[in-house]
Amino acid sequence: MSRPPYPFAALVGQDDLKLALILTVISPELGGVLIRGEKGTAKSTAVRALAQLLPERQEVAGTPYHLSLAEYLENRGQLVPDLGDSPELVNVRVPVVELPVGATEDRVAGTLDLEAALTQGRRHLEPGLLAAAHRGILYVDEVNLLDDHVVDLLLDAAAMGVNTVEREGVSLSHPARFSLVGTMNPEEGELRPQLLDRFGLCVTVAGSSDVGERVTIMQRRARYDADPAGFASAWAEPSWAITERIAAALNRVHSVDVSDELLLRIANTSLEAGVDGHRADLTMMRAAAALAAWNGREHAQAEDVDVAAQFVLPHRMRRRPLEGIGAVTAAGGSR
């Protein structure tokens, strides 16, 4: 019998971490979340726990690409075998696909069968981890230790929602929409600024300084270790409430209105923070919409923009040498 993951609802504190993860699954277009923090702060536990809360998805059976019916019909005969007009559909849990530190480009993106292309005129792809993660969560622990070109590849796919493999003039693309979650310990080295900017959201976590919270963490962990299934069952009701709330937000997020007045607020916030380009503005707009959807609203509010800015700006603001991420405020001063 498999051991159930630690329940997301039972995590103590780490409110920013939990909210950033939820926003990422509500709106994969945000471009993922980078979680920075010391070891032992529930980063990995939170990611695996969140996957258990996500509503089941429906996909076409018999393909390695986890396609919806609409995606199958669009790629029928090209990317996947022809399974007819009405292929079998199955409901599956949203997976967490973990990317190992030593992963190669072929392992991540997939490999084209050049011999089949040259001798049979047939394009065939041996799918990689990006195909496995489609419509799921791609979890990269210690993302700062990956080769830069692999991180670039991941971020390109996360931004475009498509993975394209090209070799010797032969190319093949497949849908690759996933919620990207990267974790890192800054003591082991930072990401280059160009890569930092590509993560939509960033949150820094640390151990709790509250004695009561630390005691509660130990108590809950001891109960979970003694009886994982019983502990998960005890938290089933609050866990189900989060699942229903995420499902409602997923149905609402693309119809949330972000008014021109709020767009002006977003633009001014980015200008005051001194960030380069427009990526921060676009991500803040999407994050504000996701926040409104999470809170059951059809219209984003000023408070959504302000909360979104806390996740979108810290890793994009210019810092002085030796100054850490989050040490500079949007007003330009140091914390």
Side-chain angles (χ1 to χ4, degrees):
M1 181 176 177
S2 62
R3 176 186 173 104
Y6 192 90
F8 190 83
L11 292 172
V12 179
Q14 306 292 14
D15 293 339
D16 285 350
L17 167 61
K18 290 185 283 188
L19 181 56
L21 287 172
I22 287 170
L23 294 180
T24 301
V25 297
I26 292 174
S27 179
E29 297 84 0
L30 288 172
V33 57
L34 175 64
I35 305 170
R36 306 171 71 258
E38 57 205 36
K39 294 179 178 177
T41 47
K43 300 189 295 292
S44 302
T45 300
V47 175
R48 296 188 179 96
L50 178 66
Q52 298 299 308
L53 299 180
L54 301 183
E56 287 190 343
R57 68 185 188 193
Q58 191 176 67
E59 67 180 41
V60 173
T63 89
Y65 296 99
H66 307 291
L67 302 175
S68 67
L69 180 58
E71 290 169 337
Y72 159 77
L73 294 174
E74 183 179 343
N75 293 280
R76 179 180 176 186
Q78 175 184 343
L79 187 62
V80 295
D82 191 340
L83 302 172
D85 294 330
S86 302
E88 180 186 358
L89 300 176
V90 293
N91 290 327
V92 298
R93 296 204 66 85
V94 173
V96 175
V97 176
E98 298 195 28
L99 191 148
V101 171
T104 63
E105 182 175 343
D106 285 348
R107 178 78 179 100
V108 175
T111 307
L112 273 171
D113 186 344
L114 288 177
E115 184 176 347
L118 295 173
T119 60
Q120 306 171 25
R122 178 174 60 87
R123 295 181 299 169
H124 174 73
L125 178 70
E126 187 64 37
L129 294 174
L130 292 180
H134 180 48
R135 303 170 71 205
I137 297 174
L138 182 60
Y139 176 50
V140 190
D141 194 16
E142 298 181 319
V143 65
N144 52 324
L145 302 183
L146 280 178
D147 288 340
D148 283 353
H149 75 280
V150 174
V151 180
D152 272 330
L153 191 158
L154 291 177
L155 294 171
D156 281 343
M160 303 297 293
V162 174
N163 173 44
T164 300
V165 182
E166 185 169 359
R167 300 283 188 276
E168 306 295 336
V170 179
S171 67
L172 197 59
S173 300
H174 65 79
R177 290 182 292 102
F178 50 85
S179 300
L180 176 64
V181 180
T183 63
M184 59 173 282
N185 183 348
E187 295 176 353
E188 297 171 340
E190 289 283 4
L191 282 172
R192 287 188 289 118
Q194 296 90 335
L195 295 179
L196 273 175
D197 180 61
R198 302 286 298 279
F199 275 97
L201 311 181
C202 179
V203 60
T204 299
V205 298
S208 175
S209 58
D210 183 275
V211 173
E213 281 192 357
R214 297 181 79 97
V215 171
T216 303
I217 289 170
M218 290 185 284
Q219 291 171 333
R220 290 184 184 176
R221 185 70 204 195
R223 291 174 192 146
Y224 171 74
D225 289 340
D227 181 10
F231 186 81
S233 177
W235 285 89
E237 188 172 336
S239 297
W240 178 245
I242 297 174
T243 297
E244 288 195 314
R245 194 172 167 186
I246 290 175
L250 285 168
N251 288 330
R252 184 181 295 115
V253 65
H254 293 298
S255 61
V256 169
D257 173 61
V258 183
S259 68
D260 289 348
E261 182 182 354
L262 290 185
L263 297 183
L264 185 61
R265 188 183 187 93
I266 290 171
N268 280 323
T269 301
S270 290
L271 288 172
E272 289 174 7
V275 296
D276 297 324
H278 300 278
R279 187 171 288 144
D281 301 41
L282 296 170
T283 307
M284 216 181 310
M285 177 182 69
R286 293 167 183 150
L291 276 162
W294 170 242
N295 288 306
R297 289 186 263 102
E298 300 289 344
H299 303 276
Q301 299 178 353
E303 65 187 59
D304 297 322
V305 173
D306 296 342
V307 173
Q310 296 173 27
F311 295 120
V312 172
L313 294 179
H315 58 305
R316 295 187 166 92
M317 296 171 67
R318 298 184 184 125
R319 301 180 300 281
R320 291 186 288 271
L322 304 181
E323 203 165 40
I325 290 175
V328 184
T329 67
S334 297
R335 285 179 177 169

